[in-house]
Amino acid sequence: MSLVENYNPLADPIYQVMDENGMVNEALRPAGLTDDLLLQMYEEMVLTRMADDKVNKLQRQGRMGTYPSMQGQEACQIPIAHNLKKEDWVAPAFRELGIMMMCGVPLVDIYRYWGGFESGSKMPKGVNVLPVSIPVGSQLLHAVGIAWGLKLQKKSGVTVPFFSDGATSTGDFHSALNFAGVYRTATVFLCQNNQYAISTPRAAQTASRTLAEKALAYGFNGIQVDGNDVMAMYAVTKDAIEYARGGGGPVLIEAVTFRQGPHTSSDDPKKYVPAGEREMWMKKDPIARLQKYLQTKNLWSEDLQKEIDVRGAATVEKAVAEYEATPSVQIDELFDYVHAELTPDLAEQKAALQKALYK
Amino acid sequence: MSLVENYNPLADPIYQVMDENGMVNEALRPAGLTDDLLLQMYEEMVLTRMADDKVNKLQRQGRMGTYPSMQGQEACQIPIAHNLKKEDWVAPAFRELGIMMMCGVPLVDIYRYWGGFESGSKMPKGVNVLPVSIPVGSQLLHAVGIAWGLKLQKKSGVTVPFFSDGATSTGDFHSALNFAGVYRTATVFLCQNNQYAISTPRAAQTASRTLAEKALAYGFNGIQVDGNDVMAMYAVTKDAIEYARGGGGPVLIEAVTFRQGPHTSSDDPKKYVPAGEREMWMKKDPIARLQKYLQTKNLWSEDLQKEIDVRGAATVEKAVAEYEATPSVQIDELFDYVHAELTPDLAEQKAALQKALYK
Amino acid sequence: MVEALNLALKQEMKKDPSVLLIGEDVGIDGGVFRVSDGLINQFGKERVIDTPLSESGIIGAGIGLALSGMKPICEIQFSGFIYSGLEQLISHAARMRWRSRGRFTCPMVIRAPNGGGVKALEHHSEAMEAIFGAIQGLKVVMPATPYDAKGLLISAIRDPDPVLFLEPMRVYRAFREEVPEEEYTIPIGKAAVVNEGSDVTVVTWGAMRWLCEKVISAHGDKASIELIDLRTISPMDFETILASVQKTGRCVIVQEGSQSFGVAAEISARLMEKCLLNLQAPVERVTSPDVPPPYLRGEMLTLPSEERIWRAIEKVLNF
Amino acid sequence: MVEALNLALKQEMKKDPSVLLIGEDVGIDGGVFRVSDGLINQFGKERVIDTPLSESGIIGAGIGLALSGMKPICEIQFSGFIYSGLEQLISHAARMRWRSRGRFTCPMVIRAPNGGGVKALEHHSEAMEAIFGAIQGLKVVMPATPYDAKGLLISAIRDPDPVLFLEPMRVYRAFREEVPEEEYTIPIGKAAVVNEGSDVTVVTWGAMRWLCEKVISAHGDKASIELIDLRTISPMDFETILASVQKTGRCVIVQEGSQSFGVAAEISARLMEKCLLNLQAPVERVTSPDVPPPYLRGEMLTLPSEERIWRAIEKVLNF
Ligand SMILES: Cc1ncc(C[n+]2csc(CCOP(=O)(O)OP(=O)(O)O)c2C)c(N)n1
Ligand SMILES: Cc1ncc(C[n+]2csc(CCOP(=O)(O)OP(=O)(O)O)c2C)c(N)n1
Ligand SMILES: [Mg+2]
Ligand SMILES: [Mg+2]
């Protein structure tokens, strides 16, 4: 029986492999999770944080739109990419720079989206990542529908919708998990319980003890994982994805983490996060934790960090440069993708607007 | 600990007090459930079935609209009325003739509603029964909102929304139970699992083993009861309502029953109910079962049945006569209740329509 | 019309293995109006699928099915129950192509019986097509005849974008018309001039077409009435309306739904913009009043009647 | 406008203990736009309540609160997220009085920021007021000034029926206006003649009012422009519009949302019916095109601009 099948969300403690001090329970460490891979994920998590933080900076300078930073949630996203295949699909919410980048969405496109260019959601061919989905909870059904469609077409492929605690209250969460249970779709629901939906704490969102146990209502299992423990996240998602791919059906993963930043750049968490809560969580930071482990293993050094930082900065700066060179939005693209073909109305309106704007 | 608190929906068998042959587990029989009360409920159930069947007959004669018969679900409704107080509220779906009548909605008004007169939903003052709610699952939120409002106003009062298996798939079921859990409203969710949502069997609706266990996802308890066992229904709803009234919070009751008739008068269950299923359930008929018990206790006789039938027929015929004397729908009432006051547009439209219709 | 729709579904499902039908009771029951009758036997449980009771689920999962390469036909049992699915319809189905600049698309049909006049229950007689017309990126189609129903449904299924296909319940069984066995399509976005005339243009769609035809039968001797069946609500074929009104100079719009904020308003506003100088009389609207659809006893009081239509025609003729 | 709304809420909550505020982040956060700032401190956690994230839950439970004798003010964080609550709004809140022949009513306010122009994220700039206008039994209000916002919100709270209260985000912080401390109401269903004029009537509502005022400032010397702020979308104060257009003979309607099936169409259709013979020129609509609201980089391309408004005025003047 797999790890995920074995877990009892009503009774078992949160799943953890590496504790806050980087100490690892080697018995729980899965085979493929080598130190090399951990080093690689470390660099990816650092890059993610840099890329994310860059948007915050650009936003403050008026060079970006409103942005929901994912700082603190890196371990909920990076390891998943290592367990996915090309045939799999990711359906992000909006706080998913990490998984999007890892699954092949060019960083510049992510910047474009948050910078207010629709073209940022034109994913490269072959990249099975849906655009950012702002209406909370809505993308879960798309992921379920895709998995269902692949199954009906006898194709292989797991779908992974990302969402957070607030989304579990939506009607679409219910419909999505219910459809997934009924059709036994290969869907791994990845709930990043980051403790808040804007200012609303997890406890005000629902009265169940965990979010993981909500899976039981739909006839499949859920597991609560330490979302700041990259090893646990790797182990659990690997297992869940394999289970789903093998026809076992859906799984709900509650990755317990913390949104270290504000909800978005227009939010001020000081208004509602109780004193000390953030500090407590900062001690559990997923990157710092992995660094501690790497240090114990003599795999980390200040020099290495510098190299990583330099490489990351280069990647980020390149994307920023490309982003800033994005051509301005054209009337054409605003009209031409409403339908496959311009309707007579749209053709007329487009011509009129072009005339009005550019004479 | 109350019966409802004590029950484990993930493990315990369906709650039953009286078996299919009318044999009673006296240990489980609650104090107030005297033979007198059972006799009274027997008559009420018979009346309900007669009143319900009358609509079917009138419908076939073109004297009624489409009607969803509740035949077979009498034990899911009648006993609840005996556990409610004047301060409590009922929020019916559409298959609730029994509970509506029991809670003070005049039978003639129920007939009016199904006969196509809006006036049927003008509940008498002091009768806390909401109008029929056709959009599946929607009335659950109203019941939660009322209980929440009463609680905020420091008033006492339990709300009981009635619904069926299909409704558990709606987004509003999820929102309603979630709000109820968060605000610990005095709401007893009464799910009559009658095995079908039109033609869709319970198993196709959701993959959870029971519907009762869905309560766990919202931080409160659920209990699965034999919905054709009037004693069990009495016992469980009494307990749940007291628990809710006492501030314990919400409870989900799954009453397992069977829709003996078609979904509505325009439906043909032969198309989709497997051979033998209805017959199997007919043996569990709630009225016949109670009759068996009463017979064992020498509380039932052919003469008594005749009396009951005569009384029932009189009640039904009186309501039918009043129903058939309902004045035809007037333009006035179609316009005058859209808002508290006629808007200028509506006044104009009303005058124009009156002119067009009556010159 | 039910048989015509059934035939269209059957033929398209046979032709294109990616087409599948999902919805409440579409399977063994064949839909509450029997539109999908027999399809589950022919195509099996993997192509005709009874879903849990969730309109948002049906449309939302339908979007996923479309993204996965299938062509879902989602049945909403009555248009009055589509509301909980509107977030998926407005914010996703209708925007996915635009949002992703063509990278992801949602070729899907959302079918729903629409309108009143059949003595149905509360919420089963809604005629809210105007609010669907206001959704950018969504096509809204409403056939009035069995022939058009088949041709338009086939077009909708083959359309690369989401199409809301509203079926006037009142026409489901009211009119028998031989529908060709062979495949044919009727283009989305094209109205039909059903009756040629020179005195007045009547524009309508859905079940109201049949009332208008009766008015023409009854009063055709008194006036030469040009009747246009819109067939597609959005994108609207205004060109055909304009050509007709430029000719007749008079126009009556017959709309089943409530008066205010309806499709008729949009048509009238366009006539205002495009042919004011041709108008011999104000454009008239014949509609239901701004009240909820009454139940079966009262619904005929508020629905447009032949008499109200004829009076409006007389009014514009005598202006 | 934010402060005016906050003041209205505070005063009504103080006056009427049955008034309470529910919604996402309305409590300690004071709402994402701070409209309910400080209210939780003043009135406590039982009157200012953060709900779980479900718009249908907020409206549906709000209905129950109203039925229990309270007066809920339900905040929908942005109007673009109201869709999942439309079933509750259309089929219950707006129909409960009608359905029960007055026995049950839903006195409740649903507040939602509306419209674009503030560089917000996708789905945060919807201007779909027309679809709300099409809901029978629902009043739809949209103030354009802080003064009106306060007076209309107080009226909405005291209204015996459900009121959808759309707040133009673009005006939230753009205009400072001293708002009287004392209580006052502005009647729902009454438009305001903001500027008197004799050459042309401009009808608008919400944030567009400010563009129109700028146009008047810039071009008032060239034409005498009468400006009407609708203030209530439904029930519409057509009388005021009619009186004005009868006087001026010319009308331009400025609407933030997409062109087709909008509020402007309804106004134009009514002018067609009621004052065709007074019209010196076709009624013009200045609107956004029928495309989804572009993101922040493109939104100014599609939103009506002062220049487009002025050109439309010139067009009807020179017709
Ligand atoms: C349906 C809907 N309602 C409201 C909003 C406004 N909103 C944006 S994010 C958010 C909170 C989301 O919380 P959660 O699901 O926990 O995601 P997180 O922000 O923590 O990543 C809200 C209310 C929205 N985007 N969609
Ligand atoms: C939201 C919604 N969708 C669809 C329908 C059409 N419809 C009416 S009853 C029904 C099935 C309801 O099943 P269930 O909840 O089990 O109630 P039952 O009929 O068994 O009492 C459906 C699909 C509806 N009334 N409301
Ligand atoms: Mg969160
Ligand atoms: Mg059922």
Side-chain angles (χ1 to χ4, degrees):
Chain A
M1 203 145 80
S2 79
L3 187 170
V4 158
E5 280 175 285
N6 229 5
Y7 186 86
N8 179 356
L10 294 170
D12 289 344
I14 186 167
Y15 196 86
Q16 197 187 57
V17 177
M18 172 170 62
D19 74 9
E20 290 174 44
N21 302 313
M23 299 299 293
V24 173
N25 181 341
E26 288 290 342
L28 299 181
R29 180 170 173 165
L33 190 50
T34 59
D35 281 348
D36 273 359
L37 179 52
L38 285 168
L39 208 52
Q40 184 184 339
M41 290 201 282
Y42 178 76
E43 176 156 359
E44 288 160 351
M45 285 164 66
V46 170
L47 170 61
T48 297
R49 188 162 290 186
M50 291 174 82
D52 179 84
D53 192 49
K54 190 73 195 183
V55 193
N56 289 328
K57 293 214 177 77
L58 292 173
Q59 198 282 332
R60 281 193 292 273
Q61 296 164 6
R63 292 152 72 193
M64 272 280 174
T66 309
Y67 178 65
S69 165
M70 62 162 286
Q71 189 187 311
Q73 300 178 206
E74 293 82 0
C76 301
Q77 298 185 22
I78 303 310
I80 287 79
H82 291 278
N83 291 321
L84 291 175
K85 294 192 190 174
K86 247 195 124 40
E87 65 189 25
D88 301 330
W89 286 74
V90 164
F94 40 79
R95 206 180 296 286
E96 269 79 38
L97 179 144
I99 188 69
M100 292 178 80
M101 181 171 68
M102 287 293 295
C103 288
V105 182
L107 185 54
V108 56
D109 282 337
I110 300 175
Y111 285 176
R112 284 186 178 126
Y113 180 83
W114 296 109
F117 296 101
E118 292 84 5
S119 59
S121 293
K122 181 165 186 162
M123 303 303 167
K125 268 216 171 141
V127 171
N128 290 338
V129 177
L130 294 185
V132 162
S133 178
I134 301 266
V136 172
S138 59
Q139 75 281 8
L140 276 68
L141 277 164
H142 310 160
V144 171
I146 293 172
W148 189 15
L150 294 175
K151 185 174 177 176
L152 291 169
Q153 294 168 76
K154 318 262 181 274
K155 290 182 187 164
S156 173
V158 175
T159 63
V160 187
F162 283 73
F163 54 103
S164 181
D165 44 318
T168 65
S169 294
T170 64
D172 279 359
F173 170 86
H174 185 63
S175 298
L177 273 76
N178 195 38
F179 274 60
V182 169
Y183 302 114
R184 301 214 80 68
T185 64
T187 310
V188 175
F189 294 95
L190 211 144
C191 178
Q192 301 167 85
N193 171 5
N194 62 1
Q195 310 305 327
Y196 285 92
I198 308 189
S199 71
T200 308
R202 155 66 187 81
Q205 202 64 245
T206 186
S208 68
R209 196 184 55 88
T210 69
L211 301 176
E213 70 198 66
K214 287 183 185 279
L216 303 179
Y218 310 101
F220 55 89
N221 210 8
I223 176 166
Q224 195 184 46
V225 197
D226 182 342
N228 287 6
D229 170 359
V230 67
M231 291 203 193
M233 284 303 300
Y234 180 88
V236 168
T237 57
K238 183 182 169 66
D239 191 70
I241 290 167
E242 277 171 15
Y243 174 80
R245 197 184 310 283
V251 177
L252 169 62
I253 296 173
E254 177 190 0
V256 180
T257 181
F258 189 73
R259 193 195 76 206
Q260 295 180 357
H263 170 67
T264 64
S265 41
S266 16
D267 175 56
D268 177 13
K270 283 198 207 81
K271 269 196 104 161
Y272 54 82
V273 175
E277 188 180 13
R278 181 165 189 276
E279 294 60 37
M280 189 264 282
W281 277 99
M282 290 309 286
K283 292 197 196 115
K284 306 186 187 202
D285 182 77
I287 297 181
R289 191 189 297 196
L290 180 55
Q291 194 213 27
K292 279 182 211 155
Y293 167 81
L294 294 172
Q295 240 171 324
T296 352
K297 289 272 184 156
N298 277 325
L299 292 166
W300 182 89
S301 66
E302 301 243 331
D303 282 352
L304 177 67
Q305 187 67 45
K306 251 178 233 152
E307 272 176 48
I308 289 174
D309 290 347
V310 167
R311 278 199 294 266
T315 303
V316 168
E317 288 313 324
K318 185 163 164 282
V320 171
E322 275 185 81
Y323 159 70
E324 303 239 283
T326 307
S328 62
V329 174
Q330 299 297 307
I331 290 293
D332 275 329
E333 55 169 321
L334 297 178
F335 282 79
D336 295 357
Y337 296 101
V338 179
H339 303 279
E341 285 175 27
L342 262 192
T343 62
D345 281 356
L346 283 172
E348 189 182 322
Q349 293 174 10
K350 178 176 164 184
L353 193 62
Q354 255 158 345
K355 205 173 135 208
L357 290 172
Y358 310 116
K359 264 141 267 182
Chain B
M1 204 147 77
S2 80
L3 188 170
V4 157
E5 279 175 286
N6 229 3
Y7 185 87
N8 178 356
L10 293 171
D12 289 343
I14 185 166
Y15 196 85
Q16 198 186 54
V17 176
M18 172 171 60
D19 74 10
E20 289 174 44
N21 303 313
M23 300 298 294
V24 173
N25 182 342
E26 290 290 342
L28 299 181
R29 182 169 172 166
L33 189 51
T34 60
D35 281 348
D36 274 358
L37 179 53
L38 284 168
L39 208 52
Q40 183 185 340
M41 289 202 281
Y42 178 75
E43 177 157 356
E44 289 161 351
M45 283 164 66
V46 170
L47 170 62
T48 297
R49 189 164 291 185
M50 291 174 80
D52 179 84
D53 192 48
K54 191 70 193 181
V55 194
N56 289 329
K57 293 214 176 76
L58 293 172
Q59 196 282 331
R60 280 192 293 271
Q61 296 163 7
R63 293 153 71 194
M64 271 281 174
T66 310
Y67 179 65
S69 165
M70 60 163 288
Q71 189 187 311
Q73 300 178 207
E74 293 83 0
C76 301
Q77 298 184 24
I78 303 309
I80 287 78
H82 292 277
N83 292 321
L84 291 175
K85 294 192 191 175
K86 249 195 120 42
E87 66 187 27
D88 300 331
W89 287 73
V90 164
F94 40 79
R95 205 180 295 287
E96 271 79 37
L97 180 143
I99 188 70
M100 291 176 81
M101 182 171 68
M102 288 292 296
C103 288
V105 182
L107 185 54
V108 56
D109 281 337
I110 300 176
Y111 285 175
R112 285 187 178 125
Y113 180 83
W114 296 109
F117 296 100
E118 292 83 5
S119 59
S121 294
K122 182 165 185 162
M123 303 303 166
K125 269 213 169 147
V127 171
N128 290 339
V129 178
L130 294 185
V132 162
S133 178
I134 301 266
V136 172
S138 57
Q139 74 281 9
L140 277 69
L141 277 164
H142 310 161
V144 171
I146 293 172
W148 188 16
L150 294 175
K151 184 174 178 177
L152 290 170
Q153 293 167 78
K154 316 265 181 271
K155 289 182 187 164
S156 174
V158 175
T159 64
V160 187
F162 284 73
F163 54 101
S164 182
D165 43 318
T168 64
S169 295
T170 63
D172 279 0
F173 169 87
H174 184 63
S175 298
L177 275 77
N178 195 41
F179 274 60
V182 168
Y183 302 112
R184 301 214 80 68
T185 65
T187 309
V188 175
F189 295 94
L190 211 144
C191 179
Q192 302 166 84
N193 171 6
N194 62 1
Q195 309 306 327
Y196 286 92
I198 309 188
S199 71
T200 308
R202 155 64 187 84
Q205 202 64 246
T206 184
S208 68
R209 194 183 57 86
T210 69
L211 300 176
E213 71 197 66
K214 288 182 185 283
L216 304 179
Y218 309 103
F220 55 90
N221 209 9
I223 176 166
Q224 195 184 46
V225 196
D226 183 342
N228 287 7
D229 171 357
V230 67
M231 294 205 193
M233 284 303 300
Y234 180 89
V236 167
T237 58
K238 185 182 167 64
D239 191 73
I241 289 167
E242 278 172 14
Y243 174 79
R245 198 183 310 283
V251 177
L252 170 62
I253 296 174
E254 177 190 359
V256 180
T257 182
F258 190 71
R259 193 194 77 207
Q260 294 180 359
H263 170 67
T264 66
S265 42
S266 15
D267 175 54
D268 178 13
K270 285 200 206 80
K271 270 196 104 162
Y272 55 80
V273 175
E277 188 180 14
R278 183 168 187 276
E279 294 61 36
M280 190 263 281
W281 278 97
M282 290 311 286
K283 293 196 195 115
K284 307 187 188 199
D285 182 77
I287 298 182
R289 190 189 299 194
L290 179 55
Q291 193 213 26
K292 278 181 213 156
Y293 167 81
L294 295 172
Q295 241 171 321
T296 351
K297 289 270 183 157
N298 277 325
L299 293 166
W300 182 90
S301 67
E302 301 244 331
D303 283 351
L304 177 69
Q305 186 67 46
K306 251 178 234 152
E307 274 175 47
I308 288 174
D309 290 347
V310 167
R311 279 199 293 268
T315 305
V316 169
E317 288 313 324
K318 183 162 166 283
V320 171
E322 275 186 79
Y323 159 69
E324 302 238 285
T326 308
S328 61
V329 174
Q330 298 298 307
I331 289 294
D332 275 329
E333 53 168 323
L334 297 178
F335 282 80
D336 294 357
Y337 296 101
V338 179
H339 303 280
E341 286 175 25
L342 263 190
T343 62
D345 281 355
L346 283 172
E348 187 182 324
Q349 293 174 11
K350 180 178 165 184
L353 193 61
Q354 257 157 343
K355 204 175 135 203
L357 290 172
Y358 311 114
K359 263 142 270 180
Chain C
M1 180 179 281
V2 166
E3 293 78 12
L5 292 166
N6 185 272
L7 189 58
L9 292 175
K10 201 182 298 178
Q11 291 181 340
E12 284 301 291
M13 290 185 75
K14 203 160 169 184
K15 187 173 176 142
D16 181 350
S18 69
V19 176
L20 85 171
L21 200 62
I22 66 171
E24 295 154 14
D25 309 294
V26 297
I28 188 166
D29 201 34
V32 292
F33 289 106
R34 308 292 175 258
V35 171
S36 53
D37 210 28
L39 297 182
I40 195 167
N41 297 331
Q42 188 169 351
F43 299 104
K45 283 184 166 187
E46 306 231 304
R47 305 237 353 242
V48 184
I49 307 176
D50 282 334
T51 60
L53 207 161
S54 166
E55 282 71 16
S56 190
I58 292 167
I59 298 176
I63 291 169
L65 287 167
L67 291 169
S68 84
M70 307 207 73
K71 283 206 161 195
I73 301 171
C74 303
E75 177 173 307
I76 300 298
Q77 209 162 70
F78 291 88
S79 68
F81 303 125
I82 203 174
Y83 306 128
S84 77
L86 282 186
E87 176 158 290
Q88 289 291 347
L89 191 60
I90 297 176
S91 300
H92 288 303
R95 289 203 188 167
M96 198 58 88
R97 173 188 293 280
W98 188 85
R99 173 183 298 144
S100 68
R101 293 297 179 262
R103 168 69 174 85
F104 297 113
T105 60
C106 291
M108 62 195 287
V109 179
I110 297 104
R111 290 182 39 242
N114 194 65
V118 297
K119 298 189 181 301
L121 292 175
E122 198 182 354
H123 305 290
H124 290 67
S125 306
E126 309 281 305
M128 295 284 268
E129 52 267 22
I131 72 172
F132 307 126
I135 302 173
Q136 296 88 35
L138 183 71
K139 296 192 179 100
V140 185
V141 170
M142 198 188 309
T145 71
Y147 183 86
D148 284 359
K150 180 176 171 190
L152 281 166
L153 183 52
I154 294 180
S155 292
I157 296 171
R158 297 183 187 172
D159 199 276
D161 288 308
V163 178
L164 178 63
F165 195 86
L166 298 171
E167 302 166 3
M169 265 189 278
R170 203 168 167 181
V171 186
Y172 264 158
R173 306 205 170 274
F175 298 91
R176 300 262 149 198
E177 181 186 51
E178 275 305 314
V179 162
E181 189 49 44
E182 64 269 21
E183 269 172 37
Y184 60 89
T185 58
I186 291 178
I188 292 175
K190 289 274 169 262
V193 178
V194 175
N195 194 65
E196 295 203 9
S198 51
D199 294 342
V200 57
T201 302
V202 175
V203 182
T204 193
W205 57 95
M208 291 299 108
R209 164 163 167 186
W210 298 101
L211 287 193
C212 294
E213 294 217 15
K214 281 194 199 158
V215 170
I216 292 177
S217 304
H219 302 284
D221 52 333
K222 288 168 228 133
S224 170
I225 301 170
E226 179 138 311
L227 179 60
I228 294 178
D229 176 353
L230 209 50
R231 299 202 293 197
T232 298
I233 306 295
S234 174
M236 189 184 283
D237 179 7
F238 185 67
E239 212 183 316
T240 297
I241 299 173
L242 182 63
S244 174
V245 181
Q246 273 169 341
K247 179 176 71 179
T248 61
R250 293 177 161 88
C251 182
V252 170
I253 307 164
V254 182
Q255 160 180 301
E256 175 171 341
S258 286
Q259 176 168 313
S260 298
F261 303 96
V263 174
E266 178 61 29
I267 298 172
S268 182
R270 289 186 189 205
L271 286 170
M272 165 73 87
E273 284 154 6
K274 297 284 173 69
C275 85
L276 180 67
L277 297 184
N278 291 92
L279 288 177
Q280 311 288 320
V283 173
E284 278 286 313
R285 292 185 279 181
V286 181
T287 69
S288 290
D290 295 344
V291 308
Y295 306 166
L296 67 96
R297 300 276 174 169
E299 66 175 340
M300 286 305 164
L301 293 175
T302 55
L303 284 171
S305 63
E306 286 163 57
E307 197 188 334
R308 281 170 59 206
I309 296 168
W310 172 240
R311 287 220 206 138
I313 293 171
E314 277 187 319
K315 185 173 165 194
V316 302
L317 287 174
N318 302 331
F319 185 78
Chain D
M1 178 178 284
V2 166
E3 293 77 13
L5 292 165
N6 185 273
L7 188 59
L9 292 174
K10 202 181 297 176
Q11 291 182 342
E12 285 301 291
M13 290 185 76
K14 204 162 170 181
K15 185 174 179 140
D16 181 351
S18 68
V19 175
L20 85 171
L21 200 63
I22 66 170
E24 295 154 14
D25 309 295
V26 297
I28 188 166
D29 200 33
V32 292
F33 289 106
R34 307 291 174 259
V35 171
S36 52
D37 210 29
L39 297 182
I40 194 166
N41 297 331
Q42 187 168 352
F43 299 104
K45 280 184 168 188
E46 305 230 307
R47 304 226 10 233
V48 183
I49 307 176
D50 283 334
T51 61
L53 206 162
S54 165
E55 282 71 16
S56 190
I58 293 167
I59 299 176
I63 291 169
L65 288 167
L67 291 168
S68 85
M70 307 207 74
K71 284 207 160 196
I73 301 170
C74 304
E75 177 173 309
I76 300 296
Q77 209 162 69
F78 292 87
S79 69
F81 304 125
I82 203 175
Y83 305 128
S84 77
L86 282 186
E87 177 159 290
Q88 290 291 346
L89 190 61
I90 297 175
S91 299
H92 289 303
R95 289 203 188 167
M96 197 58 86
R97 173 188 293 279
W98 188 87
R99 174 184 298 145
S100 69
R101 292 299 180 257
R103 168 67 173 87
F104 297 112
T105 59
C106 291
M108 62 195 285
V109 180
I110 297 105
R111 290 182 41 239
N114 193 65
V118 297
K119 298 191 181 299
L121 291 176
E122 197 181 355
H123 305 290
H124 290 67
S125 306
E126 309 282 304
M128 296 285 268
E129 51 265 24
I131 73 171
F132 307 125
I135 301 173
Q136 297 90 35
L138 183 72
K139 298 194 180 99
V140 184
V141 170
M142 197 187 312
T145 71
Y147 183 86
D148 285 358
K150 182 177 171 192
L152 281 166
L153 183 52
I154 293 180
S155 293
I157 295 170
R158 297 183 187 173
D159 198 276
D161 289 307
V163 178
L164 178 63
F165 196 87
L166 298 170
E167 303 166 2
M169 263 187 280
R170 203 168 167 182
V171 185
Y172 265 158
R173 305 205 171 274
F175 299 90
R176 300 262 149 198
E177 183 186 45
E178 274 307 312
V179 163
E181 188 52 40
E182 64 268 22
E183 270 174 37
Y184 61 92
T185 59
I186 291 177
I188 291 176
K190 290 275 168 258
V193 178
V194 175
N195 195 64
E196 295 203 11
S198 53
D199 295 341
V200 57
T201 302
V202 174
V203 183
T204 194
W205 57 95
M208 292 298 108
R209 165 162 166 186
W210 298 103
L211 287 193
C212 294
E213 295 217 18
K214 281 196 200 158
V215 169
I216 292 177
S217 305
H219 303 283
D221 51 333
K222 288 170 227 133
S224 170
I225 300 170
E226 180 138 311
L227 179 60
I228 295 178
D229 176 353
L230 209 49
R231 299 200 294 196
T232 296
I233 306 295
S234 174
M236 190 186 282
D237 179 8
F238 185 65
E239 210 183 316
T240 298
I241 299 173
L242 183 63
S244 175
V245 180
Q246 273 169 342
K247 178 176 73 177
T248 61
R250 294 180 160 85
C251 183
V252 170
I253 308 163
V254 182
Q255 158 180 298
E256 176 172 339
S258 286
Q259 176 168 314
S260 299
F261 303 96
V263 174
E266 179 61 28
I267 298 171
S268 182
R270 291 186 187 205
L271 286 170
M272 164 73 84
E273 284 155 8
K274 298 282 173 69
C275 86
L276 181 67
L277 296 184
N278 292 90
L279 287 176
Q280 312 288 320
V283 173
E284 278 285 313
R285 293 185 278 182
V286 181
T287 70
S288 289
D290 295 345
V291 308
Y295 307 166
L296 69 96
R297 299 279 173 165
E299 66 175 341
M300 286 305 164
L301 294 175
T302 57
L303 284 171
S305 62
E306 287 163 56
E307 195 188 335
R308 281 171 59 205
I309 296 168
W310 173 240
R311 286 221 206 138
I313 293 171
E314 277 187 317
K315 187 173 163 193
V316 302
L317 287 174
N318 302 331
F319 184 77

